[in-house]
Amino acid sequence: MNSRPAPFDETDRKIINALMVNARTSFAEIGAEVGLSSTAVKRRVDRLRETGVITAFTATVEPSALGWRTEAYVEVYCEGAAPPRRLTEVVRNHPEITAAMTVTGGADALLHVRARDVEHFEEVLERIRTEPFIRKTISVMVLSHLLPESPEAGATQAAPE
């Protein structure tokens, strides 16, 4: 798969928009919207996947239904310059971290953490803090989602047992 998405045209953009609204929309339905046959839509979707424009098809689920009842964002501050590669290794070891990115500003990284409850969140936070290059963390608990239809409001995996 390419590291840079390939350019796409207006018809591709319409196909992508239809899939973003509902990834289960049939190729025939999308074709009717954009003026193509279902076969032509499938070819375009296959090309968009192969070139890295479309990266995945997922189901977004109410987090509490999967056991996630607590959610927070954690700013991570590192000693010296922690390379993003090392941070990536660390966050992949914690299934509770659902998103992680390097950021500008005072913090080195921002983590989106889901947990079963506050006690589980505290345990996750302590595991993160045991990394020798992590100097400190600052956590912000999520109380509610103001845009409940946003991808960040949903979950893509169940809470660990």
Side-chain angles (χ1 to χ4, degrees):
M1 192 171 288
N2 295 336
S3 61
R4 298 180 78 198
F8 50 92
D9 64 18
E10 189 58 31
T11 301
D12 290 336
R13 187 176 305 281
K14 289 177 183 177
I15 292 169
I16 291 166
N17 285 339
L19 290 170
M20 289 173 65
V21 169
N22 181 359
R24 294 188 60 165
T25 304
S26 73
F27 294 149
E29 290 172 298
I30 295 170
E33 279 184 46
V34 303
L36 293 175
S37 69
S38 59
T39 304
V41 172
K42 181 187 182 320
R43 277 196 305 269
R44 283 180 177 251
V45 169
D46 289 345
R47 178 180 45 80
L48 291 166
R49 290 182 72 201
E50 289 168 8
T51 59
V53 173
I54 296 175
T55 59
F57 295 94
T58 63
T60 304
V61 179
E62 171 60 37
S64 63
L66 299 175
W68 301 119
R69 291 180 176 28
T70 300
E71 178 179 10
Y73 286 88
V74 179
E75 291 181 345
V76 175
Y77 296 80
C78 300
E79 290 291 345
R85 182 179 68 255
R86 180 66 182 114
L87 286 167
T88 299
E89 292 171 11
V90 169
V91 299
R92 284 204 170 128
N93 289 329
H94 303 281
E96 299 89 352
I97 299 174
T98 62
M101 58 285 301
T102 56
V103 295
T104 62
D108 294 294
L110 182 65
L111 311 178
H112 183 208
V113 177
R114 290 193 190 272
R116 290 184 306 272
D117 50 35
V118 174
E119 292 79 16
H120 180 209
F121 173 73
E122 185 175 25
E123 182 256 310
V124 172
L125 196 55
E126 289 306 314
R127 278 193 276 130
I128 293 167
R129 288 177 176 160
T130 63
E131 295 296 329
F133 63 88
I134 293 180
R135 180 172 47 91
K136 75 174 185 175
T137 61
I138 297 177
S139 304
V140 178
M141 301 295 286
V142 174
L143 300 177
S144 64
H145 284 271
L146 301 177
L147 300 172
E149 68 281 358
S150 70
E152 292 79 13
T156 57
Q157 66 180 15
E161 294 301 320

